[in-house]
Amino acid sequence: IDGTLNRQGYYLADDTKALVNKIVDKDIWFTVATGRFLSRTLPIIEELNLKIPAICLGGALAYDNASKRIIKVWPIAKAAAEEVITRLQDLSHRCHATVYQPKENRCLTAYNLLKSKQPYPMDKVNELGLLHDEIVVKDDLRPLLEECQALLIDMVGEEELLKQGYDLVKDIPGINVYLHQSPHTPGLWVLDIVAADSGKGNAIRWLKDYMKADVSVAFGDNFNDLPMLEAADIGVTMAESPDSLKAVVDLVLPPTPNCVPEYVLEREAK
């Protein structure tokens, strides 16, 4: 979403939404793959009326808008998740764990250090009345793993601190670790830890198989999109993307606000 489909601020612009709605109305299989939490992606999924599963949490979860349910998760193995949390505690910095409750088909976002009671509003519920990414606070996140599956463990902060976190966990078997800059806040960095079989790359392979599609096309602009761009049959990036991404894709789009939906519509018209 951010930096590709959404290039005009945090929220989708009206002209972008109109173009994507046009794509969906033409029965073109179009969806989003994002690092955003499910609760932050749900409004976009519904505004765009997406008809095929959306990929959230950087490829750790697939959500189906038709059934209003999480239909696929790629969890971190319990032992690996416990080890990640144990090592990151040495930094004495706030750590988040987004976990999945299979019995209730819902997500929780757990914090080990929380300055305020609720750092951002959570007001999106599905038809079952369950609040996705409901916030819980635990001094120790590890007991949550007795009943829940860890989908994403992450930290947000300065680059130097998060590089230390990266070095602490990078050798733990069964995980993938991504360190990347926030697309919204200059100087802010994000450390994401997901299962080794998770990520946007594996998610797009799963989605292609799930939909029985012949060809997959992926759009990305940042280093965390690289596995997805390499896994897709056609990889597309933005004019502002790093050179390392441009080197592996099939096409670089022009620096226009709606280059992604415009490309999809132009491709369909040919």
Side-chain angles (χ1 to χ4, degrees):
I1 293 176
D2 299 301
T4 49
L5 183 62
N6 185 23
R7 296 166 57 79
Q8 304 179 65
Y10 187 79
Y11 299 99
L12 286 184
D14 289 340
D15 55 346
T16 303
K17 288 186 283 189
L19 287 169
V20 175
N21 287 332
K22 188 175 181 180
I23 291 170
V24 174
D25 289 344
K26 287 178 174 288
D27 289 327
I28 300 170
W29 286 348
F30 185 91
T31 190
V32 295
T34 178
R36 292 191 186 195
F37 292 132
L38 178 56
S39 61
R40 291 306 193 193
T41 312
L42 277 172
I44 295 174
I45 292 172
E46 294 181 357
E47 284 178 337
L48 300 181
N49 193 29
L50 299 180
K51 297 178 181 178
I52 70 172
I55 305 301
C56 305
L57 288 174
L61 175 155
Y63 178 85
D64 178 52
N65 193 36
S67 63
K68 309 297 183 188
R69 292 184 62 81
I70 298 166
I71 60 171
K72 175 71 175 177
V73 294
W74 289 267
I76 304 171
K78 181 183 175 185
E82 288 176 335
E83 185 63 21
V84 167
I85 294 168
T86 298
R87 295 190 189 185
L88 290 180
Q89 284 179 338
D90 292 342
L91 296 178
S92 299
H93 186 73
R94 190 170 75 186
C95 179
H96 319 144
T98 301
V99 299
Y100 174 66
Q101 287 185 327
K103 291 181 181 179
E104 297 187 359
N105 192 248
R106 73 191 295 195
C107 287
L108 300 175
T109 299
Y111 295 76
N112 63 343
L113 298 170
L114 192 60
K115 294 179 180 178
S116 61
K117 198 168 185 179
Q118 186 160 301
Y120 45 80
M122 291 295 182
D123 56 3
K124 200 65 188 176
V125 296
N126 64 15
E127 289 183 349
L128 299 177
L130 300 177
L131 188 66
H132 287 300
D133 304 321
E134 179 182 352
I135 292 170
V136 295
V137 182
K138 302 285 185 181
D139 292 333
D140 186 350
L141 300 179
R142 288 168 294 187
L144 272 176
L145 304 178
E146 296 300 324
E147 296 183 357
C148 300
Q149 299 170 316
L151 302 182
L152 169 71
I153 301 170
D154 70 294
M155 279 184 152
V156 179
E158 296 180 355
E159 181 181 10
E160 183 177 348
L161 175 69
L162 296 194
K163 281 184 176 179
Q164 295 178 39
Y166 180 91
D167 290 336
L168 284 172
V169 302
K170 65 182 181 182
D171 63 340
I172 297 175
I175 63 170
N176 283 335
V177 187
Y178 302 101
L179 179 61
H180 57 98
Q181 194 165 9
S182 167
H184 302 294
T185 308
L188 196 64
W189 285 72
V190 182
L191 179 68
D192 289 334
I193 298 103
V194 295
D197 64 347
S198 178
K200 294 180 182 179
N202 284 329
I204 195 172
R205 294 187 190 96
W206 170 84
L207 184 60
K208 181 183 178 183
D209 182 66
Y210 180 84
M211 296 301 300
K212 297 180 171 56
D214 295 323
V215 178
S216 60
V217 182
F219 304 87
D221 74 311
N222 211 332
F223 294 114
N224 59 329
D225 296 320
L226 185 57
M228 178 177 67
L229 294 171
E230 292 178 326
D233 296 305
I234 300 174
V236 184
T237 195
M238 311 296 112
E240 306 87 354
S241 299
D243 290 340
S244 56
L245 263 67
K246 294 178 182 177
V248 302
V249 299
D250 302 286
L251 180 67
V252 178
L253 295 181
T256 55
N258 289 307
C259 56
V260 170
E262 288 169 351
Y263 167 78
V264 175
L265 291 169
E266 289 170 4
R267 178 182 169 86
E268 176 66 15
K270 292 180 181 179

